[in-house]
Amino acid sequence: MTSLEDPSILYQNKDNTVLIIDIPTSIAQAQELNSFTADPREDTSPLDSLDSEPGRGVSRKHLLSSQPLELPYPSSCEPKTEVARARLLERVPPSERLFHDEIQLLLQSALRDIENGYSGGQWCLPRRTSDEERTRTRKRGPESDHSALRKRSSGLLRDSSTSKFALDDRDFASIRPPVILSSTSINAFESIAELDGVVKNPSSRAAILTIDSPDEGIDGASSEYIIPPRSHFAHCTIPLSETQDSLPLESPIPGLPPNELFNLILLDPPWPNRSVRRSGHYHTHPYELLTQRLRNIFHVHAYHQSSSSKDTATLDPLHLNTNEISVAAIWITNSEKSRQTAYEALTSTGFAIHEEWVWIKTTVDGQPIIPLDGLWRKPYEILVIGRRTPVAASTSNESYETGSRYLPKRRVIAAVPDVHSRKPNLKAVFERVFFTSESSVESYAALEVFARNLTAGWWACGNEVLKFNARECWVER
């Protein structure tokens, strides 16, 4: 069963619990508004020659990608004998073994489902890569750090804590008026320092933003970014490494007004990880500080249950008003600490653990990139989703703390990995699951934290928020 609504969804089963998603296409598709959200009354603009049609962002462009993986990675790090494997398993807590055994069975069932129902051939769409990208991928694999794309990035994408144009977090103590972009002309800025606080593109067309500083451009030229329609962003460093006493509770995200509330908050935190620390891809932070920061973000920016719905514990969640829907989702690693941190951050701020979406990383022909039962490395990542509604509130938030066997609903998303740090854009899936009516899709508010690209109609924040929106990351179809 294939999707006719979103070209990035190559397969979905009848109950929408098993899907194949093409990662680059999901990001490209998320650069445009839904067909009923775009405003056809808006006049054409000079950018239309660059961006297909009003309200359609970069829908006719390919996101530069890595070559898709054709063969699984060799399992050279796994124990060589059953005795060595048993010895390693003894070090894993029983609850942790049980959790991953359940995920393994879930994935085996999902892969059989796809094998029986998918007739589309390869598990990803054709990709566009640079010559250097193809050479590097053959040598190191698709999840390596790709210099071709790194050369295309600018100072805007450097860690803002080290950039000479970075703003001190205290500069955001008083929220500045937003920077409003135009979709009818180029929005030129001398440096990133001019983009302090929230930047908005209110139009249903894409806008073009340039940074003219030679220090921030590519080969001395200005850097150019495609800003999707009706998107908002804050280029900032979220101060995860500072103690809570030194930060105001009411401003967990620098530059983002505390009165901005969201029906959906999606986070991809920089979890502590030895391999990531060695590679230097991004800074990581202790679990306790990260937990507190996530709590504060949910406390300040998540919609709370409205007073009109306090006595409606039996209300069907599919018929809730948009302002009664509050969803928070956290990408986690396969570490028990990161999972418990996510559970704690959600349940301590009024969310019940509602669903878990498992991204299984596969080759082009559907093989897991490494064995499902690998001990040192897993071929999947998990998105933990909490929901704060009258229905969710009736579910015990103590399920994980007490060790009871309550299990959230689980969905499986199969996707062939792309360049490092690039995950599937799940906007379409969130809308299918949580915002099912046309009115709710039009009106819900979403925020992505630690984002690496923008999404049409959403807010985003982080110090790499424009990473994959650089013009140089896209090529014509």
Side-chain angles (χ1 to χ4, degrees):
M1 179 178 180
T2 57
S3 168
L4 300 178
E5 300 174 5
D6 190 316
S8 69
I9 300 179
L10 308 184
Y11 169 84
Q12 61 180 11
N13 63 359
K14 290 182 179 179
D15 56 1
N16 202 33
T17 57
V18 179
L19 304 94
I20 300 177
I21 292 181
D22 183 73
I23 294 178
T25 307
S26 72
I27 297 174
Q29 194 67 19
Q31 303 305 295
E32 60 182 77
L33 297 169
N34 296 303
S35 58
F36 50 80
T37 309
D39 188 352
R41 297 171 298 176
E42 290 198 51
D43 296 331
T44 58
S45 76
L47 300 184
D48 291 338
S49 61
L50 300 175
D51 301 304
S52 70
E53 57 181 289
R56 290 298 175 179
V58 292
S59 60
R60 293 185 179 177
K61 298 183 184 298
H62 279 290
L63 181 61
L64 281 175
S65 305
S66 68
Q67 286 287 92
L69 192 64
E70 296 183 357
L71 297 173
Y73 292 118
S75 54
S76 56
C77 295
E78 291 299 308
K80 304 301 182 185
T81 66
E82 287 301 317
V83 172
R85 181 178 177 84
R87 187 180 301 116
L88 184 57
L89 276 172
E90 289 177 356
R91 297 162 52 187
V92 181
S95 61
E96 192 69 0
R97 289 195 299 244
L98 176 60
F99 176 85
H100 288 288
D101 285 346
E102 290 171 348
I103 296 297
Q104 181 179 335
L105 291 174
L106 173 74
L107 294 177
Q108 289 172 342
S109 175
L111 292 174
R112 286 195 299 268
D113 182 314
I114 297 175
E115 182 180 354
N116 294 330
Y118 180 54
S119 58
Q122 291 194 337
W123 290 34
C124 67
L125 296 175
R127 294 182 176 179
R128 293 288 298 274
T129 62
S130 68
D131 292 339
E132 182 177 349
E133 194 72 5
R134 284 190 289 270
T135 301
R136 194 174 184 86
T137 300
R138 283 195 297 267
K139 291 180 178 179
R140 299 184 58 185
E143 292 190 286
S144 60
D145 190 13
H146 303 283
S147 61
L149 290 184
R150 292 189 71 187
K151 287 180 179 178
R152 296 170 183 270
S153 64
S154 74
L156 244 182
L157 309 181
R158 293 195 297 266
D159 187 332
S160 58
S161 64
T162 58
S163 169
K164 73 175 183 177
F165 293 106
L167 297 173
D168 188 275
D169 293 329
R170 304 306 182 273
D171 291 341
F172 289 104
S174 58
I175 302 299
R176 294 172 170 81
V179 175
I180 308 297
L181 302 179
S182 168
S183 63
T184 59
S185 61
I186 302 296
N187 301 271
F189 298 89
E190 292 186 359
S191 78
I192 188 179
E194 296 183 58
L195 303 178
D196 54 347
V198 174
V199 180
K200 297 184 177 184
N201 174 17
S203 173
S204 62
R205 292 189 301 268
I208 300 298
L209 181 155
T210 63
I211 304 294
D212 293 330
S213 169
D215 290 329
E216 296 183 52
I218 302 165
D219 297 328
S222 63
S223 298
E224 187 172 277
Y225 300 88
I226 304 170
I227 310 304
R230 296 186 189 165
S231 62
H232 307 59
F233 71 88
H235 178 259
C236 63
T237 296
I238 299 171
L240 295 172
S241 58
E242 300 187 54
T243 61
Q244 186 56 39
D245 293 341
S246 64
L247 296 168
L249 173 64
E250 65 275 8
S251 301
I253 299 177
L256 190 63
N259 61 346
E260 294 291 348
L261 301 180
F262 299 93
N263 303 105
L264 168 63
I265 300 178
L266 172 64
L267 304 99
D268 186 9
W271 295 106
N273 182 290
R274 283 178 294 180
S275 63
V276 170
R277 286 198 298 268
R278 285 195 298 266
S279 69
H281 283 310
Y282 49 80
H283 293 292
T284 57
H285 307 275
Y287 288 103
E288 292 183 5
L289 294 176
L290 186 54
T291 301
Q292 187 60 55
R293 182 54 48 182
L294 299 183
R295 285 175 177 166
N296 292 349
I297 291 172
F298 296 148
H299 176 78
V300 173
H301 292 294
Y303 265 112
H304 294 258
Q305 180 178 314
S306 66
S307 58
S308 63
S309 62
K310 287 183 178 179
D311 298 323
T312 57
T314 60
L315 186 63
D316 182 349
L318 297 182
H319 295 89
L320 291 172
N321 296 325
T322 301
N323 64 357
E324 295 174 316
I325 298 176
S326 187
V327 177
I330 307 173
W331 282 105
I332 62 172
T333 68
N334 289 308
S335 150
E336 182 182 17
K337 287 185 178 180
S338 72
R339 187 167 63 258
Q340 293 298 337
T341 293
Y343 293 163
E344 171 63 21
L346 290 166
T347 58
S348 65
T349 50
F351 290 91
I353 306 301
H354 188 65
E355 295 200 8
E356 289 177 341
W357 297 358
V358 185
W359 168 25
I360 173 66
K361 304 176 184 181
T362 74
T363 63
V364 293
D365 61 353
Q367 301 179 70
I369 62 170
I370 51 179
L372 289 177
D373 61 352
L375 297 183
W376 285 114
R377 190 180 178 192
K378 307 291 186 185
Y380 51 84
E381 294 185 45
I382 298 175
L383 184 67
V384 177
I385 301 174
R387 187 164 188 175
R388 182 195 282 163
T389 68
V391 174
S394 66
T395 302
S396 172
N397 287 338
E398 298 179 355
S399 300
Y400 293 97
E401 296 176 9
T402 61
S404 64
R405 293 305 300 146
Y406 164 72
L407 292 177
K409 182 171 184 176
R410 286 170 172 160
R411 303 176 196 266
V412 174
I413 296 168
V416 179
D418 200 359
V419 300
H420 176 79
S421 82
R422 193 177 279 175
K423 288 183 169 64
N425 187 294
L426 300 177
K427 177 184 180 183
V429 185
F430 276 113
E431 290 178 352
R432 291 175 185 212
V433 174
F434 295 105
F435 307 99
T436 56
S437 68
E438 181 174 312
S439 60
S440 64
V441 171
E442 289 178 341
S443 61
Y444 81 95
L447 167 67
E448 184 172 2
V449 186
F450 309 108
R452 295 180 180 91
N453 63 264
L454 304 181
T455 295
W458 285 25
W459 294 60
C461 62
N463 60 24
E464 292 186 307
V465 70
L466 296 179
K467 181 171 185 175
F468 296 132
N469 283 88
R471 167 71 72 180
E472 291 78 11
C473 290
W474 299 85
V475 294
E476 298 292 340
R477 290 189 178 181

